């Protein structure tokens, strides 16, 4: 069995819990001193940093939310001076405003180590060539994988996403043995490889896919098309990007790097902590993060935990594949999209379209298809086809620049979208039915 940091990965649970308790107390104290919002919330419930001594005290602490990041945008929740922040990353939020997170030198080191753990667990080493086809930019996917590859002494191929044919040619010419990208992009790469008839020229052995939900069926298809073994990786910008948890060689849940993150499962309505194996909302506390730490952060991902020791020898808890989200965020081709962002764009575009719209997401040939139907007013309707096409184009462009992904926009007849007496049903996600 290969480990990157065996001492931590296989630490007996008693010892691990002790370590977590010490780190939690350290984190709570420094956050109380440095993060105004956290101090206010602690004061409101009359809790002092010295009241938190072990993991048992975790449940006393207040929750934190995505909304906090918006309210304190961009740097208001950082726990160190900006001169100590080495890199920022960002992800889209419900209002169209991004959320921003920051990493110190130490945070970047620990992040690279978490990703390195997965690379080693899946059999990669210094002879591996790691093609990083997650977006390299503000999205955490690209840099997370890149730094992890370098950390184990492998060769990184930082190509980023897109430009599919060139991507495949590079994979062949540079001898990539590991592919890191979203599962939907892996699927698309696989289909293009089939069309190009070049599968036998590939040297891929391992695929590290995450950032969006994917099924076992998709795993099999990707493995077949790309001739590799496909592993799942989970993470989120607010906690650390890719590598918060990962599958080992036994692929029976994703090990959470518990020496850095304490997971809990709660009832999303009551906030009550649920037991092992129960499904609920996943909550994380970062106990080693310096730049942007969070206490009891509500991920909105629906999940469950399994504390049994794994055959691989790792003692870290395994989380199941997330089974959806408690909010309305959609993940389309790996991009986070909130219906409210679309609404905002439509309202801005104006010009005779109405705020009645419907988002239709489907999966055709394993690729997400994204369409927005918008009702036009009676005036545009009578303007004729040319005017309609122009507006459709302009909405597509505005959505592309806001979301980073352009849907097919279709103007539909006035009053043709169903009305609801309660909450409007804005999203038809046909992927869920498949
Ligand atoms: O997607 C970080 C990441 C990059 C993870 C590359 C894995 C690989 P965000 O853009 O902030 O960060 O989106 C985080 O994506 O709360 C989940 O809902 C979803 N998600 C991430 N990984 C998985 C996965 C990155 N393996 C949100 N399975 C999370 C299912 C996932 N959902």
């Amino acid at each position: 069995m290969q480990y990157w940091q065996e001492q931590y990965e296989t630490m007996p649970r008693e010892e691990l819990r002790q370590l977590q308790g010490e780190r939690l107390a350290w984190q709570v104290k420094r956050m109380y001193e440095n993060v105004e919002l956290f101090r206010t919330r602690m004061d409101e419930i009359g809790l002092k940093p010295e009241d938190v001594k072990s993991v048992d005290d975790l449940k006393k602490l207040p929750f934190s939310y995505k909304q906090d990041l918006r309210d304190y945008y961009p740097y208001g929740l950082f726990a160190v001076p900006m001169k100590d922040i080495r890199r920022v990353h960002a992800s889209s939020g419900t209002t169209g405003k991004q959320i921003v997170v920051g990493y110190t030198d130490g945070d970047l080191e620990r992040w690279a180590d978490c990703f390195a753990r997965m690379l080693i667990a899946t059999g990669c080493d210094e002879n591996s060539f790691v093609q990083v086809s997650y977006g390299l930019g503000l999205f955490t996917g690209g840099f997370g994988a890149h730094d992890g590859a370098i950390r184990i002494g492998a060769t990184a191929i930082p190509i980023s996403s897109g430009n599919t044919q060139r991507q495949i040619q590079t994979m062949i010419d540079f001898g990539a043995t590991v592919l890191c990208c979203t599962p939907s992009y892996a699927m698309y790469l696989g289909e293009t490889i089939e069309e190009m008839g070049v599968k036998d020229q590939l040297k891929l052995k391992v695929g590290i896919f995450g950032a969006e939900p994917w099924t076992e069926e998709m795993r099999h298809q990707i493995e077949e098309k790309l001739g590799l073994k496909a592993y799942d990786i989970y993470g989120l910008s607010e906690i650390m990007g890719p590598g918060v948890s990962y599958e080992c060689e036994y692929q029976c849940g994703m090990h959470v790097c518990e020496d850095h993150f304490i997971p809990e499962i709660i009832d999303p309505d009551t906030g009550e902590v649920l037991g092992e194996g129960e499904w609920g909302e996943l909550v994380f506390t970062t106990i080693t993060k310096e730049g942007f730490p969070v206490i009891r952060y509500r991920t909105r991902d629906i999940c469950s935990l399994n504390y049994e020791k794994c055959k691989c020898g790792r003692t870290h808890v395994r989380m199941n594949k997330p089974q959806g989200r408690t909010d309305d965020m959609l993940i389309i081709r790996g991009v986070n999209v909130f219906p409210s962002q679309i609404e905002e764009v439509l309202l801005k575009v104006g010009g005779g379209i109405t705020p009645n719209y419907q988002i239709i997401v489907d999966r055709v040939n394993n690729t997400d298809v994204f369409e927005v139907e918008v009702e036009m007013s009676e005036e545009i309707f009578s303007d004729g086809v040319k005017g309609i096409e122009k507006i459709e184009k302009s909405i597509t462009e505005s959505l592309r620049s806001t979301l980073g992904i352009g849907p097919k926009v279709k103007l539909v007849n006035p009053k043709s979208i169903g009305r609801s007496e309660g909450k409007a049903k804005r999203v038809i996600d046909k992927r869920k039915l498949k």
Side-chain angles (χ1 to χ4, degrees), residues 91 134 139-141 209-214 232-238 241-242 254 299 301 322 325 329 331 336:
S91 149
Y134 286 118
F139 175 54
T140 55
F209 306 128
E212 64 184 355
W214 53 310
D232 200 359
I233 183 166
Y234 169 89
L236 62 162
S237 313
E238 300 92 306
M254 293 182 274
T299 66
D301 289 321
R325 296 181 52 86
M329 186 178 93
I331 304 182
N336 300 349

Side-chain angles (χ1 to χ4, degrees), residues 332-353:
I332 304 171
R333 288 181 234 138
V335 178
N336 300 349
V337 174
F338 290 90
S340 51
Q341 286 177 293
I342 294 176
E343 192 162 331
E344 216 171 64
V345 169
L346 294 180
L347 289 171
K348 264 193 213 142
V349 170
I353 57 163

Side-chain angles (χ1 to χ4, degrees), residues 188-200:
Y188 183 52
L189 281 166
E191 279 157 10
T192 313
I193 285 164
E194 266 172 9
E195 279 163 26
M196 290 165 72
V198 291
K199 186 180 168 194
D200 57 347

